[in-house]
Amino acid sequence: MKVPFLDLKAQYNSIKDEVLPEIHNVLDNTAYVMGKPVFNFEENFAKEHGVNHCTALSSGTDGNHVALWALGVGYGDEVIMPANTFIATAWGATLNGATPVFVDCHPESYNLDPEKVEAAITPKTKAIVAVHLYGQPADMDPLSEIAKKHNLFLLEDAAQAHFAEYKGKRIGGLSDIASYSFYPGKNLGAYGEGGAVTTNNEELATKAKMIRDHGGKEKYNHEIYGHNYRMSGIQGAVLGVKLNHLGKWTDGRRSVAQKYRELLSDIDGIKLTKEMDYAKHVYHLFVIQVKGKEGEERKANRDRLQKFLGENDVASGLHYPVPLHQQTCFADLGYKYGDFPVTEELAEQGLSLPMYAELTDEQIKYVSDTIHKFFE
Ligand SMILES: *Cc1c(COP(=O)(O)O)cnc(C)c1O
């Protein structure tokens, strides 16, 4: 049996009849950039997340850039973020000329650890970026308190967490501004690149919309600096259709996660992701930790399990094998191995299992059986 990491074709086949006419409409209307499908999507996406404003963009990376740009974060400023995240979180700071400052993640949630944030604050700190990594919301209440106390902006990188909930409320409106990715492999994926920011702050929303379109509200009148971060019409149409299915797909992912938990909880050699009491996890990724020995060889067991899975036609992934503080591009920042032990443990022991709504019970069982076989 073959189990891919992600099966975009299965999802496409299930909505083909619905999505193709919408794409044809865009082509018939030659509305290639922005246009009605994009504006409709913005409205519905904001509504789904309980926020007032959504600005559709060309990617999630651009969302991270626009969010800090709209807040006025720039040269000489520091932006606190987890070391355990995808590189694009950091580009939000660097593209604005600001410096990323890394903090370790919490040993159970794998997200920014609020207890370690205050120690990283300096007079230059302007913002904290909480990432809802793997689809699980970060612990926003204590982070909000810290941000308020030190007069800092708080942001959410929600690229992996559309529809996730924190204490019963959907993410996206729990900070000054949140960014999302619609990269095809994300929980809500376009048929190309796409992203967005959401906020309850009208002034910020207006700024984000201006930055997206050359710094103005009308053509050829540029009030502020801007860029071209517009969403294409086809992506707006595709996302509009897919948004209607996201609730069902999210339930599907949660059900797959539940089955993995039931089937894998008896294996001593692995640690499963915890769903925190405050969270409704949307399982962009299902990350297990393969326990290893301290030191150089700690990741040997993980690597061997990944190889064994591959030999048995089960795909798996690493998220993320090189934490941000160990990236060559950030060598100048002066971090070293050992600075963030929880992040490093996850980088060396973490393994992401196949995760998508269309996984069948047989496939889930086969993944579990293969992992059991490895440990026997
Ligand atoms: C995917 C991702 C991004 C970037 O989104 P793109 O649309 O690929 O540019 C940013 N942050 C995180 C945490 C991501 O997973």
Side-chain angles (χ1 to χ4, degrees):
M1 186 182 297
K2 225 183 168 87
V3 190
F5 189 67
L6 182 62
D7 187 351
L8 291 177
K9 201 150 192 182
Q11 190 195 63
Y12 171 64
N13 285 334
S14 76
I15 57 164
K16 200 171 175 173
D17 293 344
E18 218 182 321
V19 81
L20 285 181
E22 296 300 326
I23 292 174
H24 276 140
N25 268 342
V26 173
L27 297 177
D28 286 342
N29 297 327
T30 65
Y32 303 130
V33 177
M34 301 292 287
K36 210 164 173 199
V38 172
F39 298 130
N40 284 343
F41 171 69
E42 286 179 330
E43 196 180 322
N44 292 329
F45 191 74
K47 216 177 279 167
E48 287 286 3
H49 287 87
V51 288
N52 294 335
H53 309 281
C54 171
T55 303
L57 300 167
S58 36
S59 79
T61 306
D62 299 338
N64 289 339
H65 185 193
V66 168
L68 283 163
W69 186 347
L71 288 166
V73 175
Y75 286 95
D77 296 336
E78 291 178 356
V79 179
I80 291 174
M81 63 187 65
N84 179 38
T85 182
F86 180 58
I87 189 74
T89 308
W91 297 152
T94 58
L95 282 166
N96 283 293
T99 304
V101 171
F102 305 124
V103 168
D104 208 357
C105 62
H106 184 275
E108 284 180 324
S109 73
Y110 301 156
N111 279 319
L112 191 58
D113 190 338
E115 293 200 354
K116 292 173 188 152
V117 168
E118 274 192 299
I121 296 174
T122 76
K124 292 180 177 173
T125 310
K126 282 282 155 43
I128 301 170
V129 182
V131 183
H132 305 316
L133 202 69
Y134 308 150
Q136 169 144 270
D139 195 358
M140 295 305 287
D141 280 350
L143 292 172
S144 294
E145 253 172 63
I146 294 166
K148 209 175 279 168
K149 184 175 154 196
H150 296 272
N151 201 20
L152 306 173
F153 298 123
L154 180 61
L155 295 90
E156 295 162 79
D157 181 336
Q160 305 188 357
H162 327 75
F163 281 24
E165 290 175 22
Y166 177 73
K167 298 187 177 171
K169 198 171 175 299
R170 281 204 179 152
I171 53 86
L174 306 171
S175 63
D176 292 297
I177 187 163
S179 71
Y180 307 78
S181 166
F182 305 123
Y183 182 74
K186 298 288 160 80
N187 287 27
L188 179 60
Y191 291 170
E193 304 279 356
V197 292
T198 60
T199 180
N200 282 316
N201 181 324
E202 194 179 344
E203 198 188 320
L204 268 184
T206 305
K207 251 182 159 169
K209 287 193 163 68
M210 288 201 289
I211 291 168
R212 159 181 76 182
D213 201 2
H214 301 295
K217 293 183 196 108
E218 316 155 13
K219 219 171 183 178
Y220 306 129
N221 187 4
H222 313 288
E223 297 171 44
I224 58 173
Y225 284 4
H227 195 62
N228 173 4
Y229 277 155
R230 295 176 304 230
M231 178 179 274
S232 85
I234 286 177
Q235 303 316 333
V238 169
L239 289 167
V241 169
K242 290 182 73 171
L243 185 61
N244 297 326
H245 295 271
L246 188 57
K248 176 185 68 192
W249 290 333
T250 301
D251 290 346
R253 286 176 178 273
R254 288 179 54 77
S255 152
V256 171
Q258 186 52 36
K259 284 167 195 157
Y260 274 142
R261 279 184 199 290
E262 283 160 17
L263 294 167
L264 297 173
S265 61
D266 61 328
I267 302 178
D268 285 336
I270 62 177
K271 178 182 159 192
L272 302 178
T273 303
K274 185 171 174 191
E275 179 159 348
M276 304 302 282
D277 290 340
Y278 54 70
K280 184 178 173 188
H281 199 316
V282 294
Y283 295 101
H284 174 59
L285 296 167
F286 191 87
V287 179
I288 63 170
Q289 278 202 57
V290 186
K291 294 177 196 167
K293 291 187 197 73
E294 278 293 332
E296 281 291 285
E297 284 304 300
R298 186 163 62 169
K299 66 193 193 66
N301 280 350
R302 190 271 312 273
D303 292 347
R304 250 183 295 160
L305 174 57
Q306 184 172 38
K307 186 159 172 275
F308 185 76
L309 288 171
E311 285 162 2
N312 287 280
D313 284 334
V314 176
S316 59
L318 306 181
H319 302 90
Y320 295 89
V322 184
L324 296 198
H325 70 289
Q326 291 176 263
Q327 292 290 346
T328 311
C329 65
F330 294 133
D332 287 353
L333 298 178
Y335 294 99
K336 60 183 188 312
Y337 183 82
D339 285 344
F340 305 120
V342 183
T343 296
E344 288 155 10
E345 179 179 278
L346 202 53
E348 290 163 18
Q349 303 191 150
L351 186 67
S352 308
L353 301 184
M355 171 52 80
Y356 50 94
E358 295 81 7
L359 268 176
T360 64
D361 286 353
E362 289 72 33
Q363 285 174 310
I364 298 166
K365 175 132 194 326
Y366 179 70
V367 173
S368 158
D369 287 347
T370 310
I371 296 174
H372 275 92
K373 208 154 123 205
F374 174 80
F375 281 102
E376 265 155 24

